[in-house]
């Protein structure tokens, strides 16, 4: 690995401050805050930018994509109401920061990324850091039916609508968290599968994500 994985007092201190900042912004789930406090976000940055790793900002990760800002990662994680052992499908692996937070929360994670270079990089780096998920390369807008049903599904890119095919891959009682809107902004949306054919949708705050590209997306 070309990266240096060193966690010194500066990074540890910055991570604590980030947790306090997220609390002040309204994140209240102590497990989510603990997970954010445990994941070394600077490992996803080039060393030159470590001083920016614990700012609550999105940051370019190459291939025209971004590492999500910590507030968004915490917000989506909180909405998933993760129980230990939950099987979660993550659509949009990116650099894998959100994947690590889900794993810290005790979930079993199946994650899919459409960009080959990101998939290659992340599927090598996360196990090296001790984070073990199942990594797939492909169009996640169709889900991964072979591994369904899932307790939870998280989409980390902005979708034009909630793909029906994803709802069908949820267990009864399962939840999908997905930003839905146009290319400028999206509303965080959760859908609970109440029964075989009943779904409860809640529309929440506004965010700005990169687009979900694919067969059942843009
Ligand atoms: N989860 C990441 C993190 O922790 O920082 C951020 C993900 S980034 C905001 C969104 C990712 O979704 C990008 O890497 C993009 O390539 C990916 N993506 C977009 N459309 C996709 C699709 N149909 N299937 C899988 N991945 C997709």
């Amino acid at each position: 690995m070309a990266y240096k994985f060193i966690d010194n007092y500066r990074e540890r201190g910055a991570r604590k401050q980030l947790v306090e900042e997220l609390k002040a912004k309204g994140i209240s789930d102590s497990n989510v805050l603990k997970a954010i406090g445990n994941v070394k976000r600077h490992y996803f940055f080039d060393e030159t930018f470590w001083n920016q790793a614990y700012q609550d900002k999105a940051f370019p990760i190459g291939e025209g994509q971004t590492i999500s800002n910590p507030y968004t990662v915490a917000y989506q994680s909180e909405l998933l109401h993760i129980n230990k052992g939950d099987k979660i499908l993550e659509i949009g692996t990116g650099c894998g920061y959100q994947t690590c937070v889900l794993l810290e929360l005790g979930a079993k994670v199946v994650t899919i990324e459409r960009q080959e270079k990101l998939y290659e990089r992340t599927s090598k780096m996360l196990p090296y850091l001790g984070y073990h998920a199942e990594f797939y390369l492909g169009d996640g807008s169709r889900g991964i039916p072979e591994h369904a049903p899932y307790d939870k599904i998280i989409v980390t890119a902005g979708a034009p609508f909630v793909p029906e095919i994803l709802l069908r891959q949820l267990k009864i009682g399962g939840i999908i968290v997905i930003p839905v809107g146009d290319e400028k902004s999206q509303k965080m949306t959760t859908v609970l599968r109440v029964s075989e054919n009943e779904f409860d949708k809640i529309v929440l705050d506004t965010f700005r994500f990169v687009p979900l590209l694919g067969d059942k997306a843009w």
Side-chain angles (χ1 to χ4, degrees), residues 51-90:
N51 60 344
Q52 299 188 46
Y54 295 100
Q55 295 176 1
D56 188 20
K57 285 184 183 161
F59 201 84
I61 54 168
E63 312 310 315
Q65 300 300 328
T66 52
I67 179 169
S68 297
N69 68 316
Y71 176 75
T72 303
V73 170
Y75 186 98
Q76 287 197 283
S77 303
E78 203 167 56
L79 288 174
L80 287 168
H81 298 287
I82 295 171
N83 297 309
K84 281 208 167 58
D86 272 357
K87 183 172 162 189
I88 300 190
L89 173 64
E90 179 191 35

Side-chain angles (χ1 to χ4, degrees), residues 73 99 147 178:
V73 170
T99 318
H147 290 290
I178 176 168

Side-chain angles (χ1 to χ4, degrees), residues 81-215:
H81 298 287
I82 295 171
N83 297 309
K84 281 208 167 58
D86 272 357
K87 183 172 162 189
I88 300 190
L89 173 64
E90 179 191 35
I91 300 167
T93 317
C95 66
Y97 176 62
Q98 171 80 72
T99 318
C100 294
V101 171
L102 298 175
L103 290 166
E104 285 279 351
L105 285 162
K108 292 188 181 119
V109 183
V110 178
T111 183
I112 182 162
E113 170 57 52
R114 65 178 286 280
Q115 294 225 26
E116 193 167 356
K117 280 190 186 155
L118 287 177
Y119 160 79
E120 293 289 348
R121 195 164 80 193
T122 304
S123 61
K124 284 195 184 82
M125 178 169 135
L126 261 55
Y128 183 82
L129 296 176
Y131 289 106
H132 299 284
E134 286 186 46
F135 297 94
Y136 288 88
L137 172 65
D139 175 10
S141 71
R142 281 182 265 133
I144 309 184
E146 307 86 278
H147 290 290
Y150 303 99
D151 295 291
K152 316 278 161 67
I153 299 177
I154 174 173
V155 182
T156 71
F161 50 82
V162 183
E164 169 80 15
I165 194 167
L166 295 183
L167 296 179
R168 295 282 157 204
Q169 290 174 41
L170 282 173
K171 288 183 186 169
I172 308 289
I175 300 169
I176 182 169
V177 175
I178 176 168
V180 179
D182 57 26
E183 62 278 14
K184 288 198 189 111
S185 71
Q186 304 87 33
K187 294 274 186 198
M188 196 60 77
T189 305
T190 69
V191 184
L192 166 70
R193 185 169 199 179
V194 180
S195 68
E196 189 59 32
N197 291 313
E198 280 174 297
F199 297 90
D200 264 2
K201 180 169 156 182
I202 303 174
V203 178
L204 298 151
D205 298 323
T206 303
F207 289 83
R208 187 167 188 181
F209 282 82
V210 296
L212 182 75
L213 301 173
D215 188 32

Side-chain angles (χ1 to χ4, degrees), residues 19 22-23 26-37 74-83 105:
V19 168
L22 296 185
K23 259 193 224 173
I27 302 297
S28 60
D29 184 325
S30 57
N31 291 328
V32 170
L33 291 166
K34 196 172 159 204
I36 296 280
Y75 186 98
Q76 287 197 283
S77 303
E78 203 167 56
L79 288 174
L80 287 168
H81 298 287
I82 295 171
N83 297 309
L105 285 162

